[in-house]
Amino acid sequence: MSVYLDTSALLKRYLPERNSDTFESYFRDVESAQISRLTLVELRSALARKRREGRFDTAKEAEALNEISTDVQDGLLTVCPASDLHFVAAFHLMGKLPELPLRTLDALHLATAQTLEIDTLATADDVMRRAAEALGLTVVYFGD
């Protein structure tokens, strides 16, 4: 089974959060975990934000970044390059889902998953969950 991992779900692997244990159990059983280059940027941003907020120090931030790098190098995460095709598809998704408050980066994630023809998305974000379901994707939800 191939799954696209949204940043909100994947972050649970690197930092203890609500549902981290549940996500980790799920992640161990995933055959092919796909992420976008965008996911790496968002992970970096989330870690930096949490460090600035005082939730952990620079050593913990560096440790989490190292774990992410190791997961990519070991093939646990497949990083899909971003392309102009994803931006065009995200633009059109906004029109397909006019009732949802779909954010730009979420639309890019969904467009990437669709372009890769992945039918399962893991997320901890409720808007992302609702948008993915509206697009007919199977959603594994790790939110509250």
Side-chain angles (χ1 to χ4, degrees):
M1 168 185 71
S2 186
V3 63
Y4 186 88
L5 301 176
D6 176 44
T7 309
S8 64
L10 186 56
L11 189 61
K12 295 178 180 307
R13 178 164 169 78
Y14 307 109
L15 294 178
E17 295 183 343
R18 184 176 296 166
N19 297 324
S20 284
D21 292 341
T22 305
F23 176 80
E24 189 61 32
S25 294
Y26 173 77
F27 184 78
R28 279 193 299 266
D29 292 336
V30 169
E31 292 174 22
S32 175
Q34 308 288 321
I35 63 172
S36 167
R37 182 73 55 200
L38 171 61
T39 308
L40 296 174
V41 176
E42 285 187 316
L43 286 169
R44 181 71 172 104
S45 175
L47 291 170
R49 183 184 76 245
K50 290 176 186 287
R51 176 191 37 79
R52 286 190 308 271
E53 292 171 349
R55 295 186 188 186
F56 53 80
D57 60 17
T58 56
K60 177 63 179 168
E61 180 182 21
E63 178 184 322
L65 289 168
N66 186 53
E67 289 175 24
I68 294 164
S69 179
T70 299
D71 282 352
V72 171
Q73 290 172 0
D74 290 350
L76 296 176
L77 298 171
T78 300
V79 181
C80 304
S83 76
D84 195 51
L85 178 66
H86 299 132
F87 286 86
V88 172
F91 176 86
H92 292 293
L93 279 178
M94 297 288 194
K96 285 183 182 179
L97 304 170
E99 301 304 316
L100 289 173
L102 189 60
R103 295 176 299 266
T104 304
L105 300 180
D106 290 345
L108 281 166
H109 283 297
L110 288 166
T112 302
Q114 286 190 314
T115 301
L116 296 170
E117 298 181 353
I118 296 174
D119 63 356
T120 303
L121 179 129
T123 187
D125 181 278
D126 185 58
V127 173
M128 176 71 91
R129 176 191 62 80
R130 290 185 290 145
E133 288 172 347
L135 294 170
L137 297 173
T138 300
V139 176
V140 182
Y141 186 58
F142 296 96
D144 299 331

